[in-house]
Amino acid sequence: MVFAFTTAPSLGIQKSWLPDLEWRTVKNWMDNRVPEDDNHVIFPLETRHAVGMPISGDHRFSEIDLARSGSLVLPRDGSLQLNDLRKSPKRISRWLKEGHLFWADPQNWNGSSEAAPHLEQVPCRQDDIILPSKQRTFSVLMPMRKIEVRSVRIADEKNPLESWQWMEMENQREFDKGIFTVAYADYSCEKCPCQNDPKGDYLEEICAIQRPKCGFTPCEFPLTVEGHCCRYCGGRLSLSSKASLSMVRAAASEALEGYAERVAWHVRRCWDGTAEVLIKEKGDYSGIDILEAVENMRRTLLSMKIEVLSTETAGAAMRDHRVVVALVPLFGTPLIILGLFFIGFTYFGYSSRYILSSCGEIFTSIRDGIRVDNKSPQGSKPFSFARFENVLEGNVRIADVSGNIEQGTENEVDGAEEASGGRFENPLYRSKRRRKEEEDEEVLDMNSPLTISMATLKDKVEDRIEEVDVDIDE
């Protein structure tokens, strides 16, 4: 254990570059399909990185739409041919990645713990950096300010680059335009922070990339962690400045061995010289595993005579209710307004039954208006019709068309007149006329008494007026 503790400070964390820019990588293309012969290949206009085609092979495409900037690494042994296929259908292949690939983006590096803050997920001055092999395409935009790393090594080489070898790579195309800001650290310092960044410029560059990805905070009392761009859901143990990071790492490995599949941990040196242990759950936050892990870690540190100043946890788990919160004002405000109107009308003497019936009528009118608009886009009235039927008391008789068709012209005319007499009546508007057209009723009976004749005349006049009204309606 003494040998491990003494050699651990000299062993930096290895962090490898992750982005894959190879042509043959399926996930780099839309629909997960690598371009085939005679395809139309399209790169986004904002593709600001390099794309590496296979080292060897012959390729034939109908068209290639290049980006405004960036580079396309052509095959070393092979050919690239463009055929003009105007009449044949073209299958389009689109490259998915856009923009620069930043050195300061934590998602472009692996090797650190999930519990580490964003500043320490990118290379620190104590870390050994591993870049892709020479057979792969590499493209990176260097940080805006100068930072330090312990060493840089190419993936297919055993030994890291010397300081002068690393500086000679400044003018290579793999490193995007700008100042070559990554240098070797002059000395190894266990108690030094991740980077010498007193003004926080490098942290702000990292957070400008990371803050839009923070999302919802799933804990009740999130922690504030140095170098972390988002609110931190997990646990923390604060230690004294005398604590050795090597011994604390050994204690964490022992105390959290049973939680390896559920939690991640990270030991770091704070900016004021003290040490702390960060514990974070893998996957969704629940809070239960954090409480148990922090307590086990505290007991283990105390058993190893390491002073623990304080412990903190992020509290209970929280659910994401942002959608509900956004919809409550949308649907709640109209209900509140309707409630206020109801109270106001009641105050001015209107009964609740009258208010409800009025609301029902308004709803019915609105619903009918919507139906009219759906059936007639121009806003015209809906189509309607009246029903007519042949009734017994009507004056229409259906002609007998089963008779002899070969009769004379006179018989045909007489039959037509007999069949065409009268009209259909509307059963919705019953007429009081029950007379035949050839009958001439007397309007006034001179033999009847005068009073009876005047009453009869009055009835006849009213019948005539009603008949005129019915005819107009029809």
Side-chain angles (χ1 to χ4, degrees):
M1 292 180 61
V2 174
F3 177 78
F5 292 155
T6 55
T7 57
S10 63
L11 297 177
I13 299 176
Q14 291 186 349
K15 295 181 180 178
S16 303
W17 180 256
L18 290 179
D20 186 347
L21 304 177
E22 298 303 316
W23 182 280
R24 292 180 178 176
T25 303
V26 175
K27 63 181 180 180
N28 288 336
W29 298 94
M30 188 176 293
D31 300 331
N32 293 329
R33 182 180 298 172
V34 179
E36 300 175 355
D37 289 344
D38 300 329
N39 280 16
H40 179 191
V41 181
I42 299 177
F43 293 98
L45 293 177
E46 301 301 325
T47 304
R48 300 181 180 273
H49 52 265
V51 178
M53 298 186 67
I55 297 177
S56 61
D58 298 330
H59 303 278
R60 186 181 71 250
F61 305 110
S62 61
E63 294 181 62
I64 297 180
D65 294 350
L66 298 176
R68 294 174 180 172
S69 62
S71 58
L72 179 62
V73 183
L74 300 178
R76 179 178 302 174
D77 299 324
S79 64
L80 177 62
Q81 182 180 359
L82 298 179
N83 293 336
D84 188 7
L85 304 176
R86 296 182 179 179
K87 297 183 180 180
S88 61
K90 300 177 183 179
R91 178 176 294 177
I92 297 177
S93 299
R94 296 182 182 271
W95 182 262
L96 292 180
K97 297 181 183 293
E98 293 188 45
H100 291 289
L101 300 175
F102 296 93
W103 180 286
D105 189 352
Q107 293 187 353
N108 291 337
W109 299 96
N110 75 337
S112 60
S113 172
E114 295 181 20
H118 294 131
L119 178 62
E120 299 181 23
Q121 291 180 19
V122 298
C124 295
R125 66 170 68 188
Q126 302 90 354
D127 297 338
D128 298 318
I129 310 305
I130 302 176
L131 299 180
S133 64
K134 296 180 179 180
Q135 305 298 325
R136 291 181 53 193
T137 303
F138 171 67
S139 179
V140 60
L141 181 64
M142 303 299 276
M144 299 298 295
R145 67 175 305 276
K146 290 186 177 181
I147 63 169
E148 294 179 344
V149 296
R150 183 181 176 186
S151 66
V152 178
R153 180 171 65 86
I154 306 301
D156 53 356
E157 297 182 0
K158 296 182 179 180
N159 299 322
L161 299 173
E162 296 293 338
S163 178
W164 61 271
Q165 291 177 324
W166 170 244
M167 297 306 296
E168 284 184 350
M169 299 180 66
E170 177 179 2
N171 297 324
Q172 294 190 7
R173 293 182 178 273
E174 287 83 357
F175 304 97
D176 208 339
K177 296 179 180 179
I179 305 174
F180 199 74
T181 52
V182 179
Y184 276 18
D186 296 334
Y187 56 91
S188 178
C189 178
E190 182 187 4
K191 294 187 177 182
C192 295
C194 175
Q195 294 290 346
N196 184 18
D197 187 28
K199 297 182 179 180
D201 296 334
Y202 186 50
L203 177 60
E204 183 59 32
E205 183 179 353
I206 297 172
C207 291
I209 302 172
Q210 193 61 36
R211 281 196 193 101
K213 307 174 185 177
C214 289
F216 175 73
T217 304
C219 56
E220 187 177 6
F221 305 108
L223 308 179
T224 301
V225 177
E226 292 176 345
H228 200 67
C229 304
C230 309
R231 293 184 290 181
Y232 194 91
C233 291
R236 172 167 54 194
L237 294 92
S238 299
L239 313 177
S240 64
S241 58
K242 299 179 181 179
S244 172
L245 297 186
S246 302
M247 295 185 65
V248 176
R249 290 192 184 100
S253 298
E254 179 182 350
L256 305 178
E257 182 179 1
Y259 298 89
E261 296 181 355
R262 290 176 288 172
V263 301
W265 54 271
H266 178 71
V267 179
R268 64 181 296 268
R269 182 71 63 180
C270 300
W271 297 344
D272 60 358
T274 60
E276 70 178 8
V277 181
L278 298 175
I279 302 175
K280 190 173 184 179
E281 285 185 285
K282 297 179 179 179
D284 297 334
Y285 177 84
S286 64
I288 300 175
D289 292 332
I290 294 296
L291 291 173
E292 297 177 358
V294 169
E295 182 60 24
N296 289 347
M297 187 68 192
R298 188 186 68 84
R299 290 198 300 263
T300 303
L301 290 174
L302 292 177
S303 65
M304 298 178 64
K305 306 301 181 182
I306 299 176
E307 184 181 1
V308 179
L309 301 179
S310 63
T311 60
E312 296 177 88
T313 58
M318 301 289 290
R319 294 185 178 181
D320 190 358
H321 298 294
R322 289 176 295 178
V323 176
V324 178
V325 172
L327 293 178
V328 165
L330 181 63
F331 294 100
T333 303
L335 295 178
I336 295 174
I337 295 175
L338 291 177
L340 294 176
F341 274 113
F342 186 84
I343 295 173
F345 287 140
T346 305
Y347 176 78
F348 286 106
Y350 293 94
S351 64
S352 59
R353 180 177 298 178
Y354 176 78
I355 296 173
L356 294 177
S357 62
S358 300
C359 293
E361 293 177 0
I362 294 173
F363 174 77
T364 303
S365 62
I366 294 174
R367 183 188 59 187
D368 295 340
I370 293 174
R371 289 180 178 177
V372 169
D373 292 340
N374 292 336
K375 292 182 180 180
S376 55
Q378 290 82 11
S380 60
K381 295 182 179 180
F383 174 75
S384 60
F385 61 91
R387 180 173 63 88
F388 297 92
E389 62 181 359
N390 191 17
V391 293
L392 296 177
E393 64 271 17
N395 58 353
V396 177
R397 296 293 180 268
I398 304 299
D400 185 7
V401 298
S402 62
N404 189 5
I405 304 176
E406 297 179 356
Q407 295 179 354
T409 305
E410 295 181 357
N411 293 335
E412 291 179 0
V413 173
D414 294 340
E417 292 177 354
E418 181 181 357
S420 60
R423 59 183 177 83
F424 284 96
E425 287 188 353
N426 187 351
L428 301 179
Y429 301 96
R430 298 293 186 184
S431 176
K432 293 182 180 180
R433 291 188 303 173
R434 294 293 183 269
R435 66 183 184 278
K436 297 181 181 180
E437 293 181 356
E438 63 271 12
E439 293 180 356
D440 295 330
E441 294 184 355
E442 295 180 346
V443 178
L444 181 63
D445 189 3
M446 300 302 296
N447 297 326
S448 299
L450 181 60
T451 55
I452 297 176
S453 300
M454 293 299 294
T456 304
L457 178 60
K458 180 179 180 182
D459 293 338
K460 296 300 182 180
V461 171
E462 289 178 353
D463 290 343
R464 293 291 185 182
I465 294 175
E466 182 178 359
E467 290 172 5
V468 171
D469 292 338
V470 170
D471 293 336
I472 292 175
D473 292 337
E474 291 177 353

